Amino acid sequence: MKKNSLLEIYLPQKQQIKQIFKIMKISTFLLFLCAFCAMAENSASQNARVDIRKNNIPLEEFLSEIENQTDYLMVLGLPVV
């Protein structure tokens, strides 16, 4: 039975290094391919048009006007006591 030295165990051979680098190259290529293929699409918020022509109105009226013109629900936070 052949005894393996510690150097043979912990230092990979050339074929193993080539295989590891090949896997790393393929993984990096696939990562960049997926990242660059993911494209930003127009979302509903980018397509919503709101036209409000009023001056000096309360915030509640402003938000209710936005609710009337779009499909969004505006929620006001509770007042701090």
mmCIF file of all heavy atoms in Angstrom, residues 16-37:
data_model
loop_
_atom_site.group_PDB
_atom_site.id
_atom_site.type_symbol
_atom_site.label_atom_id
_atom_site.label_comp_id
_atom_site.label_asym_id
_atom_site.label_seq_id
_atom_site.Cartn_x
_atom_site.Cartn_y
_atom_site.Cartn_z
ATOM 1 N N GLN A 16 -6.223 18.645 -11.364
ATOM 2 C CA GLN A 16 -7.259 19.127 -10.464
ATOM 3 C C GLN A 16 -7.371 20.646 -10.522
ATOM 4 O O GLN A 16 -8.469 21.198 -10.499
ATOM 5 C CB GLN A 16 -6.958 18.680 -9.027
ATOM 6 C CG GLN A 16 -7.118 17.189 -8.823
ATOM 7 C CD GLN A 16 -6.654 16.762 -7.445
ATOM 8 O OE1 GLN A 16 -5.765 17.381 -6.868
ATOM 9 N NE2 GLN A 16 -7.261 15.701 -6.931
ATOM 10 N N ILE A 17 -6.251 21.337 -10.611
ATOM 11 C CA ILE A 17 -6.262 22.792 -10.698
ATOM 12 C C ILE A 17 -6.934 23.239 -11.989
ATOM 13 O O ILE A 17 -7.748 24.170 -11.997
ATOM 14 C CB ILE A 17 -4.830 23.356 -10.587
ATOM 15 C CG1 ILE A 17 -4.285 23.135 -9.179
ATOM 16 C CG2 ILE A 17 -4.801 24.839 -10.927
ATOM 17 C CD1 ILE A 17 -2.837 23.532 -9.009
ATOM 18 N N LYS A 18 -6.631 22.565 -13.091
ATOM 19 C CA LYS A 18 -7.265 22.913 -14.369
ATOM 20 C C LYS A 18 -8.774 22.711 -14.306
ATOM 21 O O LYS A 18 -9.537 23.526 -14.817
ATOM 22 C CB LYS A 18 -6.668 22.068 -15.498
ATOM 23 C CG LYS A 18 -5.272 22.480 -15.890
ATOM 24 C CD LYS A 18 -4.777 21.626 -17.032
ATOM 25 C CE LYS A 18 -3.358 22.008 -17.437
ATOM 26 N NZ LYS A 18 -2.873 21.196 -18.551
ATOM 27 N N GLN A 19 -9.202 21.651 -13.664
ATOM 28 C CA GLN A 19 -10.628 21.377 -13.555
ATOM 29 C C GLN A 19 -11.310 22.429 -12.673
ATOM 30 O O GLN A 19 -12.394 22.908 -13.007
ATOM 31 C CB GLN A 19 -10.855 19.987 -12.974
ATOM 32 C CG GLN A 19 -12.308 19.575 -12.961
ATOM 33 C CD GLN A 19 -12.482 18.155 -12.476
ATOM 34 O OE1 GLN A 19 -11.535 17.529 -12.017
ATOM 35 N NE2 GLN A 19 -13.689 17.647 -12.573
ATOM 36 N N ILE A 20 -10.665 22.825 -11.585
ATOM 37 C CA ILE A 20 -11.239 23.841 -10.710
ATOM 38 C C ILE A 20 -11.361 25.167 -11.456
ATOM 39 O O ILE A 20 -12.387 25.850 -11.379
ATOM 40 C CB ILE A 20 -10.389 23.995 -9.426
ATOM 41 C CG1 ILE A 20 -10.571 22.766 -8.546
ATOM 42 C CG2 ILE A 20 -10.788 25.253 -8.664
ATOM 43 C CD1 ILE A 20 -9.627 22.713 -7.359
ATOM 44 N N PHE A 21 -10.319 25.563 -12.190
ATOM 45 C CA PHE A 21 -10.379 26.813 -12.942
ATOM 46 C C PHE A 21 -11.429 26.755 -14.050
ATOM 47 O O PHE A 21 -12.090 27.753 -14.337
ATOM 48 C CB PHE A 21 -9.009 27.167 -13.523
ATOM 49 C CG PHE A 21 -8.092 27.808 -12.523
ATOM 50 C CD1 PHE A 21 -6.827 27.298 -12.309
ATOM 51 C CD2 PHE A 21 -8.483 28.914 -11.800
ATOM 52 C CE1 PHE A 21 -5.977 27.881 -11.387
ATOM 53 C CE2 PHE A 21 -7.654 29.512 -10.879
ATOM 54 C CZ PHE A 21 -6.390 28.989 -10.670
ATOM 55 N N LYS A 22 -11.604 25.602 -14.665
ATOM 56 C CA LYS A 22 -12.630 25.462 -15.695
ATOM 57 C C LYS A 22 -14.016 25.649 -15.083
ATOM 58 O O LYS A 22 -14.862 26.354 -15.638
ATOM 59 C CB LYS A 22 -12.536 24.087 -16.357
ATOM 60 C CG LYS A 22 -13.527 23.909 -17.493
ATOM 61 C CD LYS A 22 -13.499 22.511 -18.052
ATOM 62 C CE LYS A 22 -12.333 22.361 -18.983
ATOM 63 N NZ LYS A 22 -12.374 21.060 -19.697
ATOM 64 N N ILE A 23 -14.244 25.069 -13.915
ATOM 65 C CA ILE A 23 -15.530 25.228 -13.232
ATOM 66 C C ILE A 23 -15.742 26.684 -12.835
ATOM 67 O O ILE A 23 -16.840 27.234 -12.975
ATOM 68 C CB ILE A 23 -15.602 24.299 -12.001
ATOM 69 C CG1 ILE A 23 -15.668 22.840 -12.455
ATOM 70 C CG2 ILE A 23 -16.807 24.634 -11.122
ATOM 71 C CD1 ILE A 23 -15.515 21.837 -11.344
ATOM 72 N N MET A 24 -14.685 27.336 -12.351
ATOM 73 C CA MET A 24 -14.792 28.745 -11.966
ATOM 74 C C MET A 24 -15.106 29.625 -13.174
ATOM 75 O O MET A 24 -15.908 30.559 -13.087
ATOM 76 C CB MET A 24 -13.506 29.207 -11.288
ATOM 77 C CG MET A 24 -13.315 28.640 -9.895
ATOM 78 S SD MET A 24 -11.715 28.997 -9.174
ATOM 79 C CE MET A 24 -11.665 30.759 -9.207
ATOM 80 N N LYS A 25 -14.475 29.365 -14.310
ATOM 81 C CA LYS A 25 -14.732 30.146 -15.520
ATOM 82 C C LYS A 25 -16.173 29.985 -15.982
ATOM 83 O O LYS A 25 -16.846 30.963 -16.332
ATOM 84 C CB LYS A 25 -13.786 29.725 -16.638
ATOM 85 C CG LYS A 25 -12.373 30.200 -16.462
ATOM 86 C CD LYS A 25 -11.519 29.690 -17.610
ATOM 87 C CE LYS A 25 -10.052 29.992 -17.415
ATOM 88 N NZ LYS A 25 -9.228 29.449 -18.508
ATOM 89 N N ILE A 26 -16.650 28.751 -15.987
ATOM 90 C CA ILE A 26 -18.023 28.488 -16.426
ATOM 91 C C ILE A 26 -19.014 29.147 -15.469
ATOM 92 O O ILE A 26 -20.001 29.755 -15.900
ATOM 93 C CB ILE A 26 -18.271 26.975 -16.557
ATOM 94 C CG1 ILE A 26 -17.443 26.413 -17.709
ATOM 95 C CG2 ILE A 26 -19.749 26.674 -16.757
ATOM 96 C CD1 ILE A 26 -17.447 24.907 -17.807
ATOM 97 N N SER A 27 -18.750 29.035 -14.176
ATOM 98 C CA SER A 27 -19.644 29.644 -13.184
ATOM 99 C C SER A 27 -19.675 31.157 -13.328
ATOM 100 O O SER A 27 -20.743 31.780 -13.266
ATOM 101 C CB SER A 27 -19.201 29.275 -11.768
ATOM 102 O OG SER A 27 -19.248 27.885 -11.584
ATOM 103 N N THR A 28 -18.527 31.769 -13.525
ATOM 104 C CA THR A 28 -18.462 33.217 -13.690
ATOM 105 C C THR A 28 -19.189 33.646 -14.960
ATOM 106 O O THR A 28 -19.934 34.628 -14.965
ATOM 107 C CB THR A 28 -17.002 33.688 -13.737
ATOM 108 O OG1 THR A 28 -16.332 33.228 -12.567
ATOM 109 C CG2 THR A 28 -16.906 35.195 -13.827
ATOM 110 N N PHE A 29 -19.007 32.910 -16.033
ATOM 111 C CA PHE A 29 -19.688 33.213 -17.290
ATOM 112 C C PHE A 29 -21.206 33.134 -17.109
ATOM 113 O O PHE A 29 -21.937 34.037 -17.546
ATOM 114 C CB PHE A 29 -19.230 32.249 -18.387
ATOM 115 C CG PHE A 29 -20.010 32.385 -19.655
ATOM 116 C CD1 PHE A 29 -19.806 33.468 -20.496
ATOM 117 C CD2 PHE A 29 -20.959 31.441 -20.005
ATOM 118 C CE1 PHE A 29 -20.532 33.603 -21.664
ATOM 119 C CE2 PHE A 29 -21.694 31.564 -21.158
ATOM 120 C CZ PHE A 29 -21.477 32.648 -21.998
ATOM 121 N N LEU A 30 -21.683 32.074 -16.465
ATOM 122 C CA LEU A 30 -23.120 31.931 -16.261
ATOM 123 C C LEU A 30 -23.675 33.015 -15.341
ATOM 124 O O LEU A 30 -24.784 33.510 -15.555
ATOM 125 C CB LEU A 30 -23.435 30.544 -15.699
ATOM 126 C CG LEU A 30 -23.214 29.384 -16.667
ATOM 127 C CD1 LEU A 30 -23.446 28.060 -15.969
ATOM 128 C CD2 LEU A 30 -24.110 29.514 -17.879
ATOM 129 N N LEU A 31 -22.903 33.409 -14.339
ATOM 130 C CA LEU A 31 -23.328 34.469 -13.443
ATOM 131 C C LEU A 31 -23.506 35.782 -14.204
ATOM 132 O O LEU A 31 -24.530 36.463 -14.074
ATOM 133 C CB LEU A 31 -22.319 34.655 -12.316
ATOM 134 C CG LEU A 31 -22.575 35.820 -11.369
ATOM 135 C CD1 LEU A 31 -23.770 35.514 -10.484
ATOM 136 C CD2 LEU A 31 -21.347 36.093 -10.541
ATOM 137 N N PHE A 32 -22.516 36.145 -15.017
ATOM 138 C CA PHE A 32 -22.617 37.379 -15.792
ATOM 139 C C PHE A 32 -23.705 37.283 -16.856
ATOM 140 O O PHE A 32 -24.396 38.265 -17.135
ATOM 141 C CB PHE A 32 -21.279 37.740 -16.427
ATOM 142 C CG PHE A 32 -20.328 38.394 -15.468
ATOM 143 C CD1 PHE A 32 -19.200 37.729 -15.049
ATOM 144 C CD2 PHE A 32 -20.579 39.667 -14.993
ATOM 145 C CE1 PHE A 32 -18.326 38.333 -14.162
ATOM 146 C CE2 PHE A 32 -19.712 40.279 -14.101
ATOM 147 C CZ PHE A 32 -18.582 39.614 -13.680
ATOM 148 N N LEU A 33 -23.871 36.131 -17.458
ATOM 149 C CA LEU A 33 -24.913 35.947 -18.453
ATOM 150 C C LEU A 33 -26.288 36.186 -17.842
ATOM 151 O O LEU A 33 -27.110 36.919 -18.400
ATOM 152 C CB LEU A 33 -24.836 34.543 -19.057
ATOM 153 C CG LEU A 33 -25.863 34.217 -20.125
ATOM 154 C CD1 LEU A 33 -25.534 34.983 -21.396
ATOM 155 C CD2 LEU A 33 -25.888 32.728 -20.395
ATOM 156 N N CYS A 34 -26.524 35.609 -16.674
ATOM 157 C CA CYS A 34 -27.813 35.802 -16.004
ATOM 158 C C CYS A 34 -27.993 37.246 -15.552
ATOM 159 O O CYS A 34 -29.084 37.792 -15.632
ATOM 160 C CB CYS A 34 -27.932 34.857 -14.812
ATOM 161 S SG CYS A 34 -28.067 33.132 -15.280
ATOM 162 N N ALA A 35 -26.919 37.864 -15.073
ATOM 163 C CA ALA A 35 -27.016 39.241 -14.596
ATOM 164 C C ALA A 35 -27.316 40.202 -15.741
ATOM 165 O O ALA A 35 -28.111 41.136 -15.592
ATOM 166 C CB ALA A 35 -25.728 39.643 -13.888
ATOM 167 N N PHE A 36 -26.697 39.997 -16.888
ATOM 168 C CA PHE A 36 -26.911 40.909 -18.004
ATOM 169 C C PHE A 36 -28.195 40.617 -18.762
ATOM 170 O O PHE A 36 -28.711 41.482 -19.476
ATOM 171 C CB PHE A 36 -25.715 40.888 -18.949
ATOM 172 C CG PHE A 36 -24.483 41.527 -18.359
ATOM 173 C CD1 PHE A 36 -23.291 40.840 -18.324
ATOM 174 C CD2 PHE A 36 -24.533 42.803 -17.847
ATOM 175 C CE1 PHE A 36 -22.158 41.421 -17.783
ATOM 176 C CE2 PHE A 36 -23.412 43.402 -17.296
ATOM 177 C CZ PHE A 36 -22.219 42.704 -17.261
ATOM 178 N N CYS A 37 -28.725 39.423 -18.626
ATOM 179 C CA CYS A 37 -29.985 39.102 -19.297
ATOM 180 C C CYS A 37 -31.189 39.620 -18.524
ATOM 181 O O CYS A 37 -32.262 39.794 -19.089
ATOM 182 C CB CYS A 37 -30.111 37.598 -19.502
ATOM 183 S SG CYS A 37 -29.023 36.986 -20.798
#
